[in-house]
């Protein structure tokens, strides 16, 4: 099975060395290996007629399409490499001696194999923890005049988590799957842009369940100044979002790990006791992340209630490192696949030079979001305006299956990873008032096979947030229907993906940076024509203008 992980990883080096070794052994071998016929597999599909689309929901307790083998073997080619003698040697005159052997003709490159018969089945993941940190860091690096974009992570999936898409809200306890297809002018034959939105139900703060929140707050010396103020502002915004009966615990982590509140029930928004504890926070101690997490999770477990939303909120400037014991503690408290747990929200505060490695690690283990708070406005956006989205869960362990016609492959992908094996993909929780968005360029080696009645299938399997019952939603749509009505959302997705590519090029001083910036601005202008006044598009346009 093939797995495609879009995260920077040391496994790339391992893969490169393995490929080099294989080529070396092939060059040393005396065998000429050709292609062997591994047999053909045929897959039939239902033809629901021109212009038809269907979506079905139901119990997903079966394994059809979600486990075991999902595709045929991939064909691979190998061969011997031609080598020549040392060009610096030889005799320049016509002196007697044996005739030099003629250099062998280079062998032609093998033609790429086009499998035009086996349907393509892939499993997708946008991001393990629904993180949203890197787009905020990138924006601040440019507009707030940090030293540079250097060191700022540009993770496309986080941009699609952070910015809003207008997909329809689902009925309570369900999700809606919306596939979209677009042919960009000037694209190669058989190349399309495919975007998939998986949207959840709407939920207001008044309707949400009661909460059990444990604040684990950094009071080490490095938090002095702006980081401490942003930590306090985040807590103030959170305090304003609470309602009567919510439970709050608070521990400050430095070398003393002082417990400030334990299982305290607030009177409502802006509880005076909670605000007093927030204002009393101060920097100046040493760093003891393990002690703070241990104390925080002890408090969270003492107040744990399966009828509540249970969260640990860790706030720091990223100056500490999470050790193995910290990750084990966080992961062990996050709950198994069939029970609720205490999820962790990681909050980075500070300015230029912030290192988000800590929050990226702990939120992957804690099944929560990683966010970055550089300003008062951002603090109130995340912990007041979007409080329910940040803290609650609408659907658990969401996994998306994409079925494409034979010959297709993903060329570019906005998510973190995709694979032919569902076991290789980490499911993700989906928040209320939210959409999980996958944006990819797909291309086929057999464009002549694409007809109006060619079908794309997208399925979302998930667990009910309350009962943990497995459910599945399936959308089957014809190419003709998809191409006839591309929505504004796919054009916004195209603009955002081009924006991330332009940011990466600028950060890395790529020679193509200016061209990618111009291309991104072109896609943003096209999206603004169908989404006039869209705040997200206007924001990213201003960031590109500030490069």
């Amino acid at each position: 099975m093939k797995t495609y992980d879009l995260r920077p990883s040391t496994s790339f080096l391992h893969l490169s060395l393995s490929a080099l070794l294989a080529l070396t052994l092939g060059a040393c071998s005396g065998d000429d290996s050709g292609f062997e016929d591994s047999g053909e597999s045929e897959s039939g599909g239902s033809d629901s007629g021109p212009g038809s689309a269907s979506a079905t929901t139901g119990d997903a307790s079966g394994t059809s399409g979600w486990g075991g083998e999902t595709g045929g073997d991939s064909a691979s080619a190998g061969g011997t490499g031609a080598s020549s003698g040392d060009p610096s040697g030889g005799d320049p005159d016509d002196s007697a001696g044996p005739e030099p052997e003629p250099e062998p003709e280079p062998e032609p490159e093998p033609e790429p194999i086009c499998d035009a018969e086996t349907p393509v089945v892939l499993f997708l993941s946008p991001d393990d923890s629904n993180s949203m940190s890197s787009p905020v860091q990138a924006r601040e690096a440019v507009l707030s005049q940090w030293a540079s974009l250097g060191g700022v992570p540009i993770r496309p999936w986080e941009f699609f988590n952070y910015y809003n898409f207008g997909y329809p809200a689902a009925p309570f306890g369900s999700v809606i799957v919306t596939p979209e297809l677009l042919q960009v002018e000037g694209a190669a034959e058989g190349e399309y842009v495919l975007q998939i939105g998986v949207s959840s139900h709407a939920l207001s703060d008044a309707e949400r369940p009661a909460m059990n929140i444990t604040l684990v707050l950094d009071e080490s010396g490095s938090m002095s100044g702006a980081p401490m103020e942003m930590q306090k502002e985040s807590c103030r915004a959170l305090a304003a979002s609470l309602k009567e009966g919510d439970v709050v615990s608070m521990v400050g982590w430095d070398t003393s790990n002082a417990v400030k509140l334990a299982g305290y029930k607030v009177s409502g928004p802006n509880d005076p006791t909670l605000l007093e504890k927030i204002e009393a926070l101060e920097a100046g101690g040493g760093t003891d992340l393990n002690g703070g997490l241990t104390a925080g999770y002890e408090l969270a477990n003492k107040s744990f209630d399966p009828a509540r939303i249970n969260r640990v909120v860790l706030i720091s400037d990223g100056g500490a490192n999470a050790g193995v014991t910290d990750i084990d503690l966080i992961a062990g408290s996050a709950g198994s696949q069939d029970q609720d747990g205490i999820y962790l929200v990681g909050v980075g505060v500070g300015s230029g030079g912030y290192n988000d490695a800590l929050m990226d690690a702990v939120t992957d283990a804690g099944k929560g979001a990683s966010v970055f708070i550089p300003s008062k406005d951002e603090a109130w956006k995340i912990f007041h305006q979007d409080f329910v989205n940040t803290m609650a869960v609408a659907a658990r362990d969401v996994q998306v299956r994409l079925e494409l016609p034979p010959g297709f492959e993903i060329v570019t992908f906005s998510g973190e990873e995709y694979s032919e094996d569902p076991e290789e993909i980490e499911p993700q929780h989906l928040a209320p008032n939210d959409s999980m968005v996958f944006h990819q360029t797909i291309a086929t080696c057999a464009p002549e096979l694409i007809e109006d009645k060619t079908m794309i299938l997208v399925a979302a399997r998930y667990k009910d947030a309350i009962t943990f019952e497995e459910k599945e939603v399936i959308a089957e749509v014809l190419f003709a229907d998809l191409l006839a009505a591309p929505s504004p959302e796919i054009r916004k997705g195209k603009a955002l993906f081009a924006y991330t590519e332009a940011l990466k090029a600028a950060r890395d001083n790529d020679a193509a940076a200016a061209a990618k910036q111009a291309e991104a601005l072109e896609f943003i202008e096209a999206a603004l024509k169908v989404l006039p006044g869209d705040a997200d598009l206007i924001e990213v346009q201003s960031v590109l203008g500030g490069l």
Side-chain angles (χ1 to χ4, degrees):
M1 294 297 177
K2 296 179 183 176
T3 301
Y4 307 83
D5 192 333
L6 282 299
R7 294 168 291 187
S9 172
T10 56
S11 62
F12 174 79
L13 177 60
H14 173 76
L15 177 62
S16 300
L17 291 174
S18 299
L20 179 60
L21 178 60
L23 288 172
T24 304
L25 291 175
C28 294
S29 169
D31 295 337
D32 287 330
S33 58
F35 301 110
E36 294 184 2
D37 185 0
S38 60
E40 298 179 349
S41 63
E42 297 182 358
S43 174
S46 61
D47 183 357
S48 53
S52 67
S54 65
T56 61
T57 63
D59 182 5
S61 59
T63 59
S64 176
W66 293 95
E69 295 297 324
T70 57
D73 293 337
S74 298
S76 60
T80 58
S83 61
S84 59
D86 183 355
S88 64
D91 194 341
D93 59 24
D94 294 328
S95 60
E99 289 289 329
E101 294 184 6
E103 292 188 3
E105 291 290 329
E107 294 185 5
E109 291 290 328
E111 289 293 326
I113 296 175
C114 180
D115 182 353
E117 295 190 8
T118 307
V120 176
V121 181
L122 296 170
F123 299 86
L124 316 178
S125 173
D127 173 56
D128 292 348
S129 60
N130 193 30
S131 294
M132 299 176 285
S133 177
S134 70
V136 181
Q137 292 184 62
R139 181 188 68 206
E140 294 302 308
V142 176
L143 298 184
S144 296
Q145 299 179 341
W146 290 6
S148 72
L149 272 170
V152 174
I154 308 296
R155 298 182 282 256
W157 48 92
E158 295 191 6
F159 289 72
F160 281 81
N161 291 337
Y162 182 74
Y163 292 111
N164 297 314
F165 288 84
Y167 289 112
F172 188 87
S174 183
V175 302
I176 291 177
V177 175
T178 307
E180 302 183 83
L181 200 64
L182 177 68
Q183 277 187 304
V184 178
E185 185 178 352
E189 184 184 14
E191 183 176 288
Y192 304 86
V193 175
L194 171 67
Q195 184 161 296
I196 301 165
V198 182
S199 48
S200 62
H201 63 252
L203 186 70
S204 68
D205 189 56
E207 298 168 323
R208 68 161 173 84
M211 290 192 177
N212 168 36
I213 298 174
T214 301
L215 301 172
V216 182
L217 309 176
D218 190 347
E219 290 187 288
S220 61
S222 64
M223 288 288 290
S224 180
M228 178 56 73
E229 183 54 34
M230 289 304 98
Q231 177 168 249
K232 289 183 177 181
E233 199 64 44
S234 298
C235 292
R236 294 180 192 119
L238 186 148
S241 303
L242 298 177
K243 57 187 182 183
E244 183 180 0
D246 286 336
V247 174
V248 177
S249 301
M250 181 189 294
V251 58
W253 60 276
D254 54 18
T255 50
S256 61
N257 298 310
V259 174
K260 305 173 186 299
L261 286 173
Y264 174 72
K265 285 191 175 183
V266 300
S267 59
N270 302 311
D271 180 90
T273 300
L274 176 57
L275 290 177
E276 180 183 348
K277 297 295 184 182
I278 292 169
E279 299 307 323
L281 293 170
E282 59 182 2
T287 299
D288 182 12
L289 173 60
N290 180 263
L293 283 171
T294 300
Y297 274 96
E298 285 178 357
L299 291 170
N301 279 295
K302 284 179 181 178
S303 301
F304 180 83
D305 183 345
R308 293 176 178 264
I309 297 171
N310 298 275
R311 294 289 178 272
V312 166
V313 179
L314 173 67
I315 306 182
S316 173
D317 63 352
N321 294 316
V324 174
T325 54
D326 304 316
I327 298 300
D328 288 345
L329 171 65
I330 294 165
S333 300
S336 69
Q337 290 187 348
D338 296 314
Q339 68 179 108
D340 201 358
I342 302 169
Y343 303 146
L344 183 142
V345 177
V347 184
V349 291
S351 57
Y354 167 70
N355 182 355
D356 77 346
L358 170 66
M359 294 307 169
D360 192 46
V362 298
T363 53
D364 274 351
K367 299 183 180 180
S370 171
V371 299
F372 180 65
I373 307 296
S375 65
K376 179 178 179 179
D377 287 346
E378 191 68 20
W380 284 82
K381 175 184 185 300
I382 296 297
F383 287 108
H384 191 67
Q385 177 184 331
D386 297 337
F387 181 63
V388 175
N389 311 41
T390 303
M391 305 294 282
V393 173
R396 302 181 192 274
D397 296 332
V398 180
Q399 191 177 57
V400 173
R401 185 178 84 246
L402 170 63
E403 296 186 10
L404 295 169
F408 269 95
E409 65 175 346
I410 290 180
V411 180
T412 62
F413 183 52
S414 68
E416 192 168 29
E417 56 187 356
Y418 63 92
S419 175
E420 296 172 351
D421 182 359
E423 299 301 321
E424 297 290 337
I425 299 300
E426 185 75 19
Q428 179 191 310
H429 300 330
L430 178 61
N433 314 314
D434 201 7
S435 295
M436 188 181 290
V437 180
F438 305 85
H439 183 91
Q440 49 268 304
T441 299
I442 59 174
T444 177
C445 60
E448 69 278 2
L449 299 182
I450 302 303
E451 302 175 346
D452 286 351
K453 64 180 181 180
T454 300
M455 185 81 70
I456 288 179
L457 181 146
V458 183
R461 173 176 281 193
Y462 62 100
K463 293 178 181 177
D464 186 275
I466 299 172
T467 67
F468 287 83
E469 175 191 0
E470 282 199 345
K471 299 179 179 181
E472 185 176 32
V473 174
I474 299 174
E476 295 179 275
V477 193
L478 301 176
F479 260 68
D481 292 341
L482 289 171
L483 291 172
S487 86
E489 305 309 317
I490 194 170
R491 298 188 185 277
K492 181 173 183 177
K494 183 67 177 173
L496 286 178
F497 190 80
Y499 171 61
T500 65
E501 293 296 294
L503 288 175
K504 283 189 284 187
R507 180 197 61 190
D508 301 338
N509 295 315
D510 192 307
K516 290 191 175 183
Q517 183 178 347
E519 181 182 57
L521 287 169
E522 181 181 333
F523 285 128
I524 291 169
E525 287 290 349
L528 281 169
K529 289 179 180 178
V530 292
L531 289 169
D534 183 273
D536 295 337
L537 292 170
I538 292 171
E539 176 179 293
V540 299
Q541 187 180 51
S542 68
V543 174
L544 287 179
L547 286 175

